[in-house]
Amino acid sequence: CTFCCCSIVNRTLVVAFMVMLTFAIVIGNMVTLLVFLKTRQFRTPQGYLKVSLALADIIVGILVVPFSIYTEITLMVNTTPPPIWFQGSSSFYPDLQGPGVPWQPCNVIGPVFAGCTFVSISTIFLMTVERSVAILKPLHKETVVTRRRTLGLIVISWVSSFLLATAPLIFSNVFRLEYNECSRMCNYALASPETPPPAWNIMLLFPAFDFTLLGGTVVVNILSFSSIRRYSQKRKFLAETDIFASSQRPTFSDIKAAKTIGVLTFAFTASFTPIAVFVLGNVVGYRWCNFSFFAFWILTSNSCCNVVIYSLRDQRFRKGIQQLLLRTPQTSLEKS
């Protein structure tokens, strides 16, 4: 039995970690939502995208992590028989082997976690595109990036992400969802041990989608930062009173936001890469217990990173938190 599986001490430590992570995710993202919803200055296309990102993270903190906590505590208190959604429970529940498989919570929790992950990366991609328009085409920013278009793209992002999350169940009948004893989460699994390994190939849709958007995000970031660099060099040769030059250049807030999104992209890429490696390993036949635990929970921990990044990178966000905690007048924030 490995680190991620059996002993009471290890289970207790893991549950304690999950509880702390739940509080960090929920409280951090609730603060983010309140700041963006209560501060008029943040009611912009970029603000709507950040709210979408916070909603995806908070769903993970409210549904996914608490379900893992509940399952772990259930296993600590009563190990036989295991819950119906636990890995290998079919030997205790013969009905699971028939065509009429009863409903169990992992049928919701698994796609929710995958869908929220896809929403996060697609939202980061949209945030990157929105900032690139502000930097590359500052004169067209207000006409190209509108609130209505942004809200429409957010809806498309959520719908397409959850459709992709359920694709293995929709387009194949060889998968089911179960609570994995290694990852400590609801994962896709083959419904029958006799299923040939190539059936896992459909799972490549997940890393393919994420790395495609991450690659696009990196390319757009490179274009934006190249433009910022050219602007910085050009500024040395342009007079500050040159009206044409001033109207063509991106604002300081746009540049700052682009750099913040770059940090978000790096953080998400670093947290997603282990899970992508794990999925690829599953496809080719590897089974990594300890690695799967760290891969899934590093990705989950990313859900509490955004508020930290905003706090470190965005002075207006810090003032928004101060306003929220001290109940200072909103006008003081807007003037600053």
Side-chain angles (χ1 to χ4, degrees):
C1 188
T2 59
F3 165 82
C4 64
C5 296
C6 293
S7 73
I8 293 295
V9 174
N10 286 334
R11 286 194 185 279
T12 302
L13 292 175
V14 168
V15 168
F17 163 73
M18 291 177 180
V19 170
M20 290 188 292
L21 184 61
T22 299
F23 279 102
I25 293 173
V26 174
I27 294 175
N29 285 285
M30 282 297 296
V31 169
T32 301
L33 287 176
L34 290 174
V35 168
F36 283 106
L37 293 177
K38 287 184 171 292
T39 307
R40 191 179 302 111
Q41 196 174 16
F42 289 116
R43 294 170 192 170
T44 62
Q46 183 187 170
Y48 293 153
L49 290 169
K50 289 181 178 179
V51 167
S52 175
L53 188 60
L55 283 174
D57 289 337
I58 206 169
I59 289 173
V60 172
I62 291 176
L63 291 179
V64 178
V65 183
F67 180 73
S68 293
I69 295 172
Y70 170 76
T71 302
E72 290 300 315
I73 293 176
T74 301
L75 291 171
M76 290 169 64
V77 174
N78 183 20
T79 57
T80 305
I84 193 173
W85 56 87
F86 189 73
Q87 178 180 358
S89 60
S90 57
S91 59
F92 295 91
Y93 303 96
D95 291 341
L96 289 178
Q97 300 175 359
V101 178
W103 184 89
Q104 46 96 357
C106 275
N107 291 340
V108 173
I109 300 298
V112 164
F113 180 65
C116 288
T117 301
F118 298 145
V119 168
S120 294
I121 181 55
S122 58
T123 303
I124 291 174
F125 174 74
L126 292 175
M127 291 168 64
T128 304
V129 173
E130 187 268 341
R131 283 299 89 186
S132 70
V133 172
I135 291 171
L136 300 176
K137 300 290 183 180
L139 294 179
H140 302 87
K141 178 178 68 173
E142 300 297 332
T143 56
V144 174
V145 182
T146 63
R147 295 182 182 182
R148 185 174 181 178
R149 289 177 181 173
T150 302
L151 291 174
L153 289 173
I154 289 173
V155 172
I156 293 173
S157 168
W158 279 80
V159 173
S160 59
S161 294
F162 277 87
L163 284 176
L164 178 61
T166 56
L169 301 178
I170 295 174
F171 298 107
S172 175
N173 59 356
V174 300
F175 288 99
R176 62 188 176 91
L177 285 148
E178 64 182 17
Y179 187 86
N180 188 276
E181 65 178 351
C182 291
S183 68
R184 307 293 182 92
M185 279 193 175
C186 293
N187 297 155
Y188 286 97
L190 295 176
S192 171
E194 289 77 24
T195 305
W200 278 108
N201 290 344
I202 193 173
M203 299 301 296
L204 292 175
L205 285 173
F206 289 6
F209 174 83
D210 280 315
F211 278 120
T212 298
L213 285 186
L214 283 173
T217 302
V218 171
V219 170
V220 175
N221 274 323
I222 290 174
L223 293 175
S224 298
F225 291 138
S226 298
S227 178
I228 292 172
R229 184 172 179 272
R230 288 195 302 270
Y231 160 69
S232 299
Q233 293 174 342
K234 188 176 181 181
R235 186 174 57 179
K236 298 177 182 179
F237 303 99
L238 294 176
E240 292 295 331
T241 56
D242 190 334
I243 299 176
F244 177 77
S246 298
S247 64
Q248 292 291 324
R249 68 189 184 188
T251 64
F252 175 78
S253 62
D254 290 333
I255 295 174
K256 187 77 171 178
K259 293 180 179 179
T260 300
I261 294 170
V263 175
L264 287 174
T265 303
F266 175 79
F268 190 89
T269 303
S271 62
F272 176 77
T273 300
I275 202 71
V277 173
F278 171 75
V279 172
L280 292 174
N282 264 349
V283 171
V284 299
Y286 288 101
R287 298 293 180 267
W288 299 314
C289 186
N290 289 348
F291 180 72
S292 70
F293 174 80
F294 289 109
F296 275 93
W297 287 96
I298 287 173
L299 179 60
T300 307
S301 300
N302 180 261
S303 295
C304 64
C305 290
N306 295 333
V307 65
V308 177
I309 294 173
Y310 297 153
S311 299
L312 294 176
R313 300 284 308 174
D314 193 337
Q315 183 180 9
R316 291 184 302 173
F317 183 78
R318 292 196 297 270
K319 290 183 177 179
I321 295 178
Q322 182 181 9
Q323 173 196 346
L324 189 66
L325 296 177
L326 302 180
R327 299 182 182 276
T328 56
Q330 192 181 80
T331 53
S332 63
L333 175 62
E334 293 175 351
K335 289 179 180 179
S336 61

